[in-house]
Each structure stands twice: as C-alpha cells, then as structure tokens.
Amino acid sequence: MSAQARFVGIHTGSFSTPAAGNPTVVMVEAAYRHHGLDARYLNCEVTAGGPPDAVAGARAMGWAGFNCSLPHKVAVIDHLVALAASAQVIGAVNTVVATDGELVGHNTDGQGFVESLRTELDPAGLEVVVLGAGGAARAVAVETALAGAASVIVVNRDVRRSEELARVVTAGTGVPAAYVPWDRTYAVPGSAGVVVNATSVGFGDGEALVDIDPDSVRADLVVADVVVSPPHTAFLRLARARGARTLDGLGMLVGQGALAVQHWTGLEPDRKVMRAAAARALGL
Ligand code: NDP
C-alpha cells in the first residue's frame, strides 16, 4: 500500500439494484477491519442507466475498484479500458480494479467457485455438469474449464442460452462442451464427477428442488449449489442423503469476495472471517 493510499484510505463498493441486503458489504468490511486496513466498501444503489455516471464517479474519486452486480455485469464493460482474460470469455464483469489509473474488468465469480470446489476436489480431468446457462452458470462453466475440466455439459430449459454457453466454453477455453435441453427430469450421466446447480432454483425457497432424477445422484459425486440464501438448499440436502460430498453457495460468495479484496488491496484476506461475517449477514 502506498503512503498516499494509507492517508486517504482505500475506497471500494458495489453498484447494483436493488442494493439492499447485499451480504458482500458486511463480508468485505469485516475483512478490512480484521486486517486493520483503512478501507471502506459502500453499497450503492445504481439503477439501470447508471453505470456511465457511477463509473465516472468512482474513477474521479480514485476508488481502488468496485463490484458490479445485477443488472450491470455486462453493461459496465463499455466503460472500462480492458478486460482480464476470463472476464473476456465469460462476457461479464463482477469486479472492477483500478490498475495504473485505468479501470480493468475481472470476473471473480467463477474463480471463487473453483476456489471453493478445490476444498473438496480438483476439477482437472473431470466431467462437470452445469445446471443453468445464466450469469452464474457462465462463470462456473468457463472457470471450471479453465481449471482443467475434461468436458462440460450445460443443462438448461432455454436451449438458445445453453447452446450459446457450450459454444463460449469450447471457443474460449478449448474444452469440449455439450448442451442438453432441460425439457424432462434430468439424469446425471455416470461419467460426471461434479454437478453444479447454477440456476436460481432454491433462491429464497429452501424447499424448491431442481428437476433431477434422485437416483442419478451418486455417492461419488461432488455436488455444489451457487444459491446463497438459504445455503442449505433442497438439492444439497438430496445430495447429502445420497452420500455425495456437497458445497454450498457461501463458499463461492466468500471466494469471489476474497479475490476482489486481493485485487483492491494486495492483501490475502482471511476467508474464515469473511465467511462468518457473510453468514451473520444472511441471518444464519
Ligand atoms: P440468471 O437470471 O442469469 O439465470 C437464471 C438461470 O436459472 C437460468 O439458466 C434459468 O434458466 C434458470 N432457471 C430459473 N428457474 C428455473 C427452473 N424453475 N428450472 C430450471 N432452471 C431455472 O441468474 P444468475 O445466473 O445471475 O443467478 C443464478 C443464481 O446464482 C442466483 O440464485 C444467484 O443469487 C446465484 N449467484 C450466486 C453467487 C455466489 O457467489 N454464490 C454469485 C452469482 C450468482 P432459463 O435460461 O431456461 O430461464
């Protein structure tokens, strides 16, 4: 950290709408406090047309960077000078970093997911099934491919989106990706090593379950869910009942936030402190 940064403090934050209830604020501020940093994270309500002014404001005020959440993850790209490699492939930015006075877009969502996944197993050489083809699924599919997955299968109701994501993974990472239309109960293939629910099914409803054949969820799978609230989703409970190892969405949330803090401050933050703060913010 430079002497000047220490004097004025480090300014970071989040641009999204609706901004209320964003657990990242408490999680990142807890890391700043824990490590004694003179740094702030401001939760900013930025509506749909807001990115040009919000980004100009952050640049003018010398912010170290900021997170972009819904609905700005794609729209913000037009206001940045460059994208990191995986953000380029994913086509979305969740973390902007001031680098030599210029704003560069990164995507730490998928990297945070892979960091969490590696606490259970390394995806290298494995077939990864991704349920969903939205923003979270794009990040998870691209980063698991970049982490060495042997192949990716994208399962989604909207075939256009799943076909597009499979194409993006193959073109951007060189890893073969296939898509499956989710028009009936999905059976996880015996060749899969990891299954990730990257849909919004389960968000705000602990009983909502993805349409998946329970008998295809084997004990030797690692089953992950990106849904954070509530983190003990019906899908993870099913997987645990079948003997599979599971990972909740909090791991991904903490991982993506920790990587953002690293970018902004140069410091490797304590994940345990961040996880405890995020859990408190979510009322767990
Ligand atoms: P999007 O709106 O971009 O995508 C939603 C996805 O869910 C689509 O693939 C959609 O399918 C699918 N879907 C919705 N309802 C159903 C259903 N009933 N059955 C099957 N598929 C369904 O959302 P995001 O990708 O941005 O977010 C998805 C989830 O990920 C949210 O819960 C979000 O909170 C979470 N998330 C977690 C993060 C973390 O750090 N843990 C980070 C980012 C997101 P279709 O295309 O067919 O409509």
Side-chain angles (χ1 to χ4, degrees), residues 20 61 72 76 87 94 128 141 159-160 196 217 242 277:
M61 291 185 284
H72 306 310
V76 74
N94 80 322
V128 178
V159 180
R160 190 189 46 78
V196 188
V217 181
R242 307 281 311 175

Side-chain angles (χ1 to χ4, degrees), residues 150-173:
S151 59
V152 174
I153 300 176
V154 181
V155 184
N156 199 51
R157 296 177 308 182
D158 181 327
V159 180
R160 190 189 46 78
R161 291 178 96 187
S162 49
E163 184 178 9
E164 157 74 2
L165 177 51
R167 191 192 58 71
V168 161
V169 170
T170 305
T173 71

Side-chain angles (χ1 to χ4, degrees), residues 51-250:
D53 291 342
V55 173
R59 188 187 287 112
M61 291 185 284
W63 282 26
F66 51 89
N67 284 131
C68 283
S69 197
L70 294 176
H72 306 310
K73 288 185 175 185
V74 175
V76 74
I77 291 173
D78 287 344
H79 310 287
L80 308 175
V81 294
L83 295 182
S86 71
Q88 180 95 45
V89 177
I90 294 165
V93 162
N94 80 322
T95 301
V96 174
V97 182
T99 309
D100 301 327
E102 302 282 10
L103 296 180
V104 176
H106 296 251
N107 195 311
T108 65
D109 280 334
Q111 292 162 0
F113 173 78
V114 169
E115 182 179 299
S116 169
L117 180 60
R118 283 188 172 135
T119 63
E120 280 295 341
L121 98 171
D122 192 327
L126 299 180
E127 182 170 271
V128 178
V129 173
V130 179
L131 306 175
R138 283 178 84 93
V140 166
V142 167
E143 290 294 350
T144 48
L146 289 173
S151 59
V152 174
I153 300 176
V154 181
V155 184
N156 199 51
R157 296 177 308 182
D158 181 327
V159 180
R160 190 189 46 78
R161 291 178 96 187
S162 49
E163 184 178 9
E164 157 74 2
L165 177 51
R167 191 192 58 71
V168 161
V169 170
T170 305
T173 71
V175 171
Y179 65 94
V180 176
W182 203 352
D183 52 8
R184 68 199 68 182
T185 301
Y186 181 69
V188 179
S191 49
V194 180
V195 182
V196 188
N197 174 37
T199 74
S200 46
V201 176
F203 181 77
D205 180 357
E207 299 307 316
L209 181 59
V210 284
D211 186 9
I212 203 154
D213 176 2
D215 291 337
S216 70
V217 181
R218 309 180 320 267
D220 61 338
L221 283 171
V222 168
V223 175
D225 207 317
V226 303
V227 170
V228 174
S229 181
H232 307 298
T233 61
F235 184 46
L236 292 185
R237 295 201 303 276
L238 162 73
R240 274 196 291 275
R242 307 281 311 175
R245 287 178 285 165
T246 59
L247 288 163
D248 65 27
L250 263 180

